[in-house]
Amino acid sequence: MNPVPLQALIFDIDGTLADTERDGHRVAFNAAFTAAGLDWHWDVERYGELLAVTGGKERIRHFLKQSHPALLQDAGIDARITALHKAKTGFYRELVAAGGLSLRPGVARLITEARAAGLRLAIATTTTPENVEVLLEHSLAPGSSAWFAVIGAGDVVPEKKPAADIYHWVLERLNLPAAACLAFEDSENGLRAARGAVLPTIVTINDYTANQRFDEALTVLSDLGEAAQPFRRLSGDPGPAAGQIDIETLRHWHSRLTA
Ligand code: XBP
Ligand code: MG
């Protein structure tokens, strides 16, 4: 049994709070390429392959290595990647601010329940901080960024996921041990990062991550579920028979963990 009570929930953003990748980040990358006069285009399938590398700037560099390696020799390539990525962030923010992305099933409900239950909330993501803020403000609730005690995002740590750096960074600022928290992730890279910080982790899959390996997850679910739209359990610790993940379920799972 876990001697430490559950005190905080730590959420990934991309793919976990919302399906941001295919219809958000991908579209914004392509818009930035077009605006820069480039004929690069990442279709849905190619983007799925490129997701192996987390972080937008790192993803552009990875793409160049594969498709335009000579460009990586240019003296100004770092500045060019930075400028492209800045433009991409602008397009992404516009898309999200226009209401282009909704939260996944159960996310707003669980966050609201967690606040009511006195649990602390945090974010651990590789995406750029401005992207976190715009998604929370427009897809969760105005002012909801302030609900999160710690927001760890982007370049605040040297190594992005699957490195555990961002989770260590968040735990340090929460001033909590991993055993007092639960993490929520959608991808193998994200799960590796959370487990690297010894966080018990619930995985909710999406189209891009459904076939990845989640052996170290506490449980793997289709989503967090709503009463009218129950989740499916794919593997791991059995939760409620049907319906939705709630705080009682989380406390139950958490209490059974060995520290
Ligand atoms: C998300 C990412 C992000 C986004 C793009 O990974 O890899 O890089 O695709 O964001 P995770 P930026 O959900 O594991 O945190 O372009 O702002 O870097
Ligand atoms: Mg993710």
Side-chain angles (χ1 to χ4, degrees), residues 102-219:
S102 355
L103 297 184
R104 298 189 62 194
V107 168
R109 174 190 54 73
L110 187 65
I111 287 175
T112 304
E113 288 174 15
R115 292 185 76 218
L119 292 177
R120 294 169 76 200
L121 299 171
I123 299 288
T125 177
T126 64
T127 205
T128 305
E130 297 98 288
N131 297 349
V132 179
E133 196 227 329
V134 74
L135 185 78
L136 295 177
E137 295 297 317
H138 290 271
S139 304
L140 181 55
S144 61
S145 299
W147 300 354
F148 293 82
V150 178
I151 296 183
D155 297 325
V156 293
V157 286
E159 288 279 324
K160 292 185 176 163
K161 299 174 187 177
D165 298 24
I166 196 68
Y167 279 104
H168 287 305
W169 192 94
V170 167
L171 285 172
E172 201 176 299
R173 277 151 189 84
L174 283 172
N175 198 21
L176 287 174
C181 306
L182 287 174
F184 294 80
E185 275 288 353
D186 69 300
S187 69
E188 191 174 335
N189 277 332
L191 176 64
R192 282 172 60 195
R195 293 300 298 150
V198 204
L199 280 157
T201 306
I202 292 155
V203 170
T204 52
I205 58 158
N206 56 55
D207 286 350
Y208 274 134
T209 66
N211 296 320
Q212 296 180 351
R213 289 194 69 107
F214 299 117
D215 298 345
E216 284 208 47
L218 186 59
T219 190

Side-chain angles (χ1 to χ4, degrees), residues 44-122:
V44 171
E45 198 186 336
R46 181 80 192 267
Y47 192 66
E49 291 157 17
L50 293 168
L51 282 174
V53 171
T54 67
K57 293 186 287 294
E58 293 81 353
R59 190 166 298 139
I60 294 170
R61 191 175 294 280
H62 175 64
F63 164 74
L64 292 179
K65 212 188 249 176
Q66 286 183 339
S67 299
H68 303 278
L71 285 181
L72 287 173
Q73 307 309 319
D74 288 3
I77 193 63
D78 288 352
R80 210 165 155 207
I81 291 174
T82 302
L84 267 177
H85 187 252
K86 192 164 176 237
K88 174 261 170 179
T89 300
F91 286 117
Y92 181 81
R93 286 175 56 86
E94 269 173 33
L95 186 154
V96 177
L101 295 173
S102 355
L103 297 184
R104 298 189 62 194
V107 168
R109 174 190 54 73
L110 187 65
I111 287 175
T112 304
E113 288 174 15
R115 292 185 76 218
L119 292 177
R120 294 169 76 200
L121 299 171

Side-chain angles (χ1 to χ4, degrees), residues 214-230:
F214 299 117
D215 298 345
E216 284 208 47
L218 186 59
T219 190
V220 183
L221 310 168
S222 57
D223 53 75
L224 296 173
E226 297 284 17
Q229 190 185 341

